[in-house]
Each structure stands twice: as structure tokens, then as C-alpha cells.
Amino acid sequence: MPARSRTVAPPGWSRWLVPPAALSIHLAIGQAYAWSVFKPPLESSLGLSGTASALPFQVAIVMLGLSAAFGGTLVERNGPRWAMSVSAVCFSSGFLVAALGAATREYWLVVAGYGLIGGIGLGIGYISPVSTLIKWFPDRPGMATGIAIMGFGGGALIASPWSAELLSAFGSGTPGIARTFLVMGIAYAVFMTLGVLLVRVPPEGWRPPGAPSPAVRDPLVTAARVSARTALRTPQFWCLWVVLCTNVTAGIGILEKAAPMITDFFARSSSPVGASAAAGFVSLLSLANMLGRIGWSSASDRVGRKNIYRLYLGAGALMYLVLALAGDSSKPVFIVCAAVILSFYGGGFATVPAYLKDLFGSFQVGAIHGRLLTAWSTAGILGPLIVNAVADAGKSAGRTGPGLYTTSFVIMIGLLVVGFAANEFVRPVHPRHHEPPAEEEHIDAAPEKDVTP
């Protein structure tokens, strides 16, 4: 792809136009978090188990991590406009293939469309604005990435009720599911194109007017540069990989099964949770996910990345403990604990690009971030697999209600403790991994040309 795809902002361009461009992509691909709304209709119309109905979501998350890892260098080289275009094409066409699969009752097409093709759109779209935002906001990287990645967390806030309304209008059988996928694919293609047209990269060496170089107080923060290839050889990268994987597994385990989970927990109560209330719960979790991304990541600019991850992992384990011991005693307790876990889940995603920038510099942070997202792929398998497999085994054994989930909650607590320990092992990157200044411009980089208004 020629370097002209990296459209450079003209003089006077406002950096505050870039977050809306990023949001248009992330709000669209954040629809993935509303997949649980489709699980009951697919299970009833195609006779699927809970584990099988989670497969498109799991494959999509796996492809997200893989495409981000293998496409990270291409995104750095070709720029955000190229990446956003690829994301829009893959994500929207994935819906169209899934619609065909639902219409013909060929479930493998739903998995291939939404999971494989759409998952590539997820991965490329997810990392497309990260490096660009950090370049536009070197003074507030946590806040900047939080604004964009907030959209991914909030995507289901729009998609969950929208999907429920479409399914209500078209029907919950396979023809209605197909029409719903078709409408969503077309609508997301239009919406994502807005971001493609708006995004720009800053001129070489640009800094915010009047913004002084930040004083480095956190010993983890470096002004040096580490290449993506070298980062893979550092213990810091793999510690963060474990941190992200455990935090994501803990959050995604609730998020993927949110609607049926709250229904099961209170099925025997005096006021069971209906389908519309369960969809509302999914939307509430999406709101917590979204607010956690901007709130906690902005806080990390003040308290430091390592400290904020101590909160995510330590307090997250405590919330899971409350759910395991008393989650069915009160709906408010269940909802608050789940919402806090999802806020930490979202905050972890939004904070990790700034954590990487602190440790490895901004040289190839987008490519490093893409490689780190393989942790998300792993978590995308582990989280749903743990929760769904434990619940399915519980149903086979005759268990009901909270008993379907207690074992999986205990597993999540253990994983969060492992992540907490890995975060404690993070230390500054040794200078031997730093790139000499004379070589920076020759590693996985392309010149930025063609200033376009």
C-alpha cells in the first residue's frame, strides 16, 4: 500500500477531530459485546447448546487477536485510513455472510461470516487508531486511548437494544435473524466509512501547542524506542500478556453469557428476569465497560499504569468472590459486582496501550499492541469455554441457578491472582533492548507523504 494512504493533517487541524474518527470504528466493532442477545434465538431455532452458540463470538475474538498481531506492522506502515477501510469491509461483509448462513440454516456460515471474516475486521479496526491517538495526545496517552477504546466497550450499549428490537420486528427464527444481520451489516458499513474519511495523522515531530515535554516520574516510563520484534524478547511483554489475558478472561466470562446468566441466577426468585430485562442488563454492563475505559485509563495518567492494574486484578478477584458467595441474595449486589468487573475489564483494554508506550516508547507501539492482543484471542477461548462448559456440565448433573456458575467463578478468582502476580514482576525495559536513534527510521516504518487537507 503506498505511503499516500497515510493522510497527514494540514496546519491548523484540530487533534480533537481524531477521537470521533476512532469512535466511529470502535462503536461499530463493539457490537461483538452484544452477541449474547443472539444466543437464545440461535439455540432455539437451530437446536444449539450454549457452548455451540458461543462459537461465532469465540472465533471472532480469536481472529481479532490474530489479525491484530499479524496486521500490526501493516497498520503502522500503511496508516490508520488503510486500516479502517479494511476493517469496515471485513466487519460489514461478515454480517452479510452470517445473514446468508442464518437464511439457509447453515450454521457454519454464521461462524465463518461473523467469526472469521468479521473477526479480521475486529482486529484491524481495534488497533487502527491506537498509535495515531498516542501521537496526537503524547501528553495524555491514557485518556486518548480511553476515548477511542471506550467506543468498543460502548458498542453493545447501542447494539444490544437495537438487536433486540430488530429480532422483535423480524422474528426470532432463522429468517428474522438473517434480516437482522443484513440490516446491521449495511448500517455499520455506512457508519464506519465516516471514520475512514475523517482520520488524519500528525506531521512528523508534531507536539500539542504549548504542551511541555512531560516529566518522567514513573520509573517504568522510558523515552527510548523498542521495536516490535525486540519487544517479544523482553519479559515485560510476556508479563503484560499474562496480565491482559487473565483480566480479559475474567471479564469476558460474564459478558459473553450475561443475558442467560442473570436469568439463571434469579429463575427461582419471586421476580424472575425476563428477556427484555436481561437485554437491559447487557446494556448496563456495556455502559460500565465503556465508562471504565475512559475513567480508569484517564486515572492511570495520574496514578500510573502498574497501580491501576493492581486495582483491576485485586478488586476484580474480590468482586468475583462476592458473586460466588452471595450473588443470588440480591439483584443489586449481583448487578453492581458484575458492573465493577466489567469496568475493570474495559479499563484494562484502554490502559494497556499507554502501559506499552511507557515501557517500550511510542516508536512501534501499534505493532506491539497488536501482538499483545493474542492474549485477547486466548482469553476469548478461555472465558466462554470455562463458563459455558461448567454451566453445561452443571445442567447435565441436574444443577440449576447459581450452582451452574460457582465453579467457574472460583476459577476466575485464581486467574486474577495469577495476573496480579505477573503485574508485580513488570520492571523497566533494559537499555540493551533500545533501538539506536540512527536506526529508528528503517525498521517497519514508511515515510509520511502527501499532505492532504
Short mmCIF file of all heavy atoms in Angstrom, two decimals, residues 72-73 76 226-229 231-232 237 356 360-361 363-373:
data_model
loop_
_atom_site.label_atom_id
_atom_site.label_comp_id
_atom_site.label_asym_id
_atom_site.label_seq_id
_atom_site.Cartn_x
_atom_site.Cartn_y
_atom_site.Cartn_z
N GLY A 72 -0.44 -5.81 12.74
CA GLY A 72 0.01 -4.62 13.46
C GLY A 72 1.06 -3.83 12.71
O GLY A 72 1.01 -2.59 12.63
N THR A 73 2.05 -4.52 12.14
CA THR A 73 3.10 -3.84 11.40
C THR A 73 2.55 -3.18 10.14
O THR A 73 2.94 -2.07 9.77
CB THR A 73 4.22 -4.82 11.03
OG1 THR A 73 4.76 -5.39 12.23
CG2 THR A 73 5.33 -4.11 10.28
N GLU A 76 0.90 0.03 11.14
CA GLU A 76 1.91 1.06 11.39
C GLU A 76 2.46 1.61 10.08
O GLU A 76 2.67 2.82 9.93
CB GLU A 76 3.06 0.48 12.22
CG GLU A 76 2.72 0.23 13.66
CD GLU A 76 2.69 1.50 14.49
OE1 GLU A 76 3.71 2.21 14.54
OE2 GLU A 76 1.64 1.80 15.08
N VAL A 226 11.74 0.90 21.38
CA VAL A 226 11.92 -0.54 21.27
C VAL A 226 11.08 -1.02 20.09
O VAL A 226 9.89 -0.67 19.98
CB VAL A 226 11.50 -1.26 22.56
CG1 VAL A 226 11.70 -2.77 22.43
CG2 VAL A 226 12.27 -0.72 23.77
N SER A 227 11.66 -1.80 19.21
CA SER A 227 10.92 -2.30 18.05
C SER A 227 9.98 -3.41 18.48
O SER A 227 10.14 -4.04 19.52
CB SER A 227 11.88 -2.81 16.98
OG SER A 227 12.47 -4.04 17.39
N ALA A 228 8.99 -3.65 17.64
CA ALA A 228 8.02 -4.70 17.93
C ALA A 228 8.70 -6.07 18.00
O ALA A 228 8.37 -6.91 18.85
CB ALA A 228 6.92 -4.70 16.88
N ARG A 229 9.64 -6.29 17.11
CA ARG A 229 10.34 -7.58 17.08
C ARG A 229 11.12 -7.79 18.38
O ARG A 229 11.12 -8.88 18.95
CB ARG A 229 11.28 -7.63 15.88
CG ARG A 229 11.95 -8.98 15.67
CD ARG A 229 12.85 -8.95 14.45
NE ARG A 229 12.10 -8.55 13.27
CZ ARG A 229 12.52 -7.62 12.40
NH1 ARG A 229 13.68 -7.02 12.58
NH2 ARG A 229 11.78 -7.32 11.34
N ALA A 231 10.56 -6.30 21.29
CA ALA A 231 9.66 -6.34 22.45
C ALA A 231 9.26 -7.77 22.80
O ALA A 231 9.08 -8.11 23.98
CB ALA A 231 8.43 -5.49 22.18
N LEU A 232 9.12 -8.62 21.78
CA LEU A 232 8.72 -10.01 22.02
C LEU A 232 9.77 -10.78 22.81
O LEU A 232 9.47 -11.84 23.37
CB LEU A 232 8.46 -10.72 20.70
CG LEU A 232 7.22 -10.28 19.90
CD1 LEU A 232 7.17 -10.99 18.57
CD2 LEU A 232 5.95 -10.55 20.70
N PHE A 237 7.02 -7.78 28.11
CA PHE A 237 5.93 -8.07 27.17
C PHE A 237 5.12 -9.26 27.65
O PHE A 237 3.88 -9.23 27.64
CB PHE A 237 6.50 -8.34 25.77
CG PHE A 237 5.45 -8.71 24.75
CD1 PHE A 237 4.83 -7.74 24.00
CD2 PHE A 237 5.09 -10.05 24.56
CE1 PHE A 237 3.85 -8.08 23.07
CE2 PHE A 237 4.11 -10.39 23.63
CZ PHE A 237 3.50 -9.40 22.88
N LEU A 356 2.11 0.00 27.40
CA LEU A 356 3.12 -0.38 26.40
C LEU A 356 3.96 0.82 25.99
O LEU A 356 5.18 0.70 25.81
CB LEU A 356 2.43 -0.98 25.18
CG LEU A 356 1.76 -2.34 25.36
CD1 LEU A 356 0.93 -2.71 24.13
CD2 LEU A 356 2.79 -3.42 25.65
N PHE A 360 7.91 0.66 26.27
CA PHE A 360 8.63 0.46 25.02
C PHE A 360 8.76 1.71 24.16
O PHE A 360 9.38 1.67 23.10
CB PHE A 360 7.94 -0.63 24.19
CG PHE A 360 7.83 -1.95 24.91
CD1 PHE A 360 6.61 -2.42 25.37
CD2 PHE A 360 8.95 -2.73 25.13
CE1 PHE A 360 6.50 -3.63 26.04
CE2 PHE A 360 8.86 -3.95 25.79
CZ PHE A 360 7.63 -4.40 26.25
N GLY A 361 8.20 2.83 24.60
CA GLY A 361 8.22 4.04 23.79
C GLY A 361 7.14 4.01 22.72
O GLY A 361 6.44 3.01 22.53
N PHE A 363 7.61 4.34 19.44
CA PHE A 363 8.16 4.02 18.13
C PHE A 363 7.26 3.07 17.33
O PHE A 363 6.81 3.39 16.24
CB PHE A 363 9.56 3.42 18.34
CG PHE A 363 10.23 2.92 17.09
CD1 PHE A 363 10.08 3.58 15.87
CD2 PHE A 363 11.05 1.81 17.14
CE1 PHE A 363 10.71 3.13 14.73
CE2 PHE A 363 11.70 1.35 16.01
CZ PHE A 363 11.53 2.01 14.79
N GLN A 364 6.97 1.91 17.87
CA GLN A 364 6.12 0.92 17.19
C GLN A 364 5.05 0.39 18.14
O GLN A 364 4.73 -0.80 18.14
CB GLN A 364 6.97 -0.23 16.65
CG GLN A 364 7.86 0.19 15.49
CD GLN A 364 8.56 -0.99 14.86
OE1 GLN A 364 8.63 -2.08 15.43
NE2 GLN A 364 9.08 -0.80 13.67
N VAL A 365 4.46 1.29 18.91
CA VAL A 365 3.51 0.86 19.93
C VAL A 365 2.29 0.19 19.32
O VAL A 365 1.72 -0.74 19.91
CB VAL A 365 3.11 2.05 20.83
CG1 VAL A 365 2.30 3.09 20.06
CG2 VAL A 365 2.33 1.57 22.05
N GLY A 366 1.87 0.62 18.12
CA GLY A 366 0.72 -0.02 17.49
C GLY A 366 1.00 -1.47 17.14
O GLY A 366 0.15 -2.34 17.35
N ALA A 367 2.18 -1.75 16.61
CA ALA A 367 2.55 -3.12 16.26
C ALA A 367 2.72 -3.98 17.51
O ALA A 367 2.33 -5.15 17.54
CB ALA A 367 3.83 -3.12 15.43
N ILE A 368 3.31 -3.42 18.56
CA ILE A 368 3.47 -4.16 19.82
C ILE A 368 2.10 -4.46 20.42
O ILE A 368 1.83 -5.57 20.90
CB ILE A 368 4.34 -3.36 20.81
CG1 ILE A 368 5.75 -3.15 20.24
CG2 ILE A 368 4.43 -4.08 22.15
CD1 ILE A 368 6.61 -2.20 21.05
N HIS A 369 1.23 -3.46 20.37
CA HIS A 369 -0.14 -3.65 20.87
C HIS A 369 -0.85 -4.77 20.11
O HIS A 369 -1.54 -5.61 20.72
CB HIS A 369 -0.90 -2.32 20.73
CG HIS A 369 -2.28 -2.36 21.30
ND1 HIS A 369 -3.36 -1.76 20.68
CD2 HIS A 369 -2.78 -2.91 22.44
CE1 HIS A 369 -4.44 -1.93 21.41
NE2 HIS A 369 -4.12 -2.62 22.48
N GLY A 370 -0.69 -4.79 18.80
CA GLY A 370 -1.30 -5.86 18.02
C GLY A 370 -0.83 -7.23 18.43
O GLY A 370 -1.63 -8.17 18.55
N ARG A 371 0.45 -7.37 18.68
CA ARG A 371 0.99 -8.65 19.11
C ARG A 371 0.48 -9.03 20.50
O ARG A 371 0.21 -10.20 20.79
CB ARG A 371 2.51 -8.62 19.08
CG ARG A 371 3.09 -8.65 17.65
CD ARG A 371 4.52 -8.07 17.62
NE ARG A 371 5.17 -8.27 16.33
CZ ARG A 371 4.95 -7.53 15.24
NH1 ARG A 371 4.05 -6.55 15.27
NH2 ARG A 371 5.61 -7.77 14.12
N LEU A 372 0.34 -8.05 21.37
CA LEU A 372 -0.14 -8.33 22.72
C LEU A 372 -1.58 -8.82 22.71
O LEU A 372 -1.99 -9.57 23.61
CB LEU A 372 -0.03 -7.07 23.59
CG LEU A 372 -0.28 -7.28 25.09
CD1 LEU A 372 0.92 -7.98 25.72
CD2 LEU A 372 -0.55 -5.96 25.80
N LEU A 373 -2.34 -8.43 21.70
CA LEU A 373 -3.75 -8.81 21.66
C LEU A 373 -3.97 -10.30 21.38
O LEU A 373 -5.11 -10.77 21.41
CB LEU A 373 -4.50 -7.97 20.62
CG LEU A 373 -4.69 -6.49 20.99
CD1 LEU A 373 -5.49 -5.78 19.93
CD2 LEU A 373 -5.37 -6.35 22.36
#
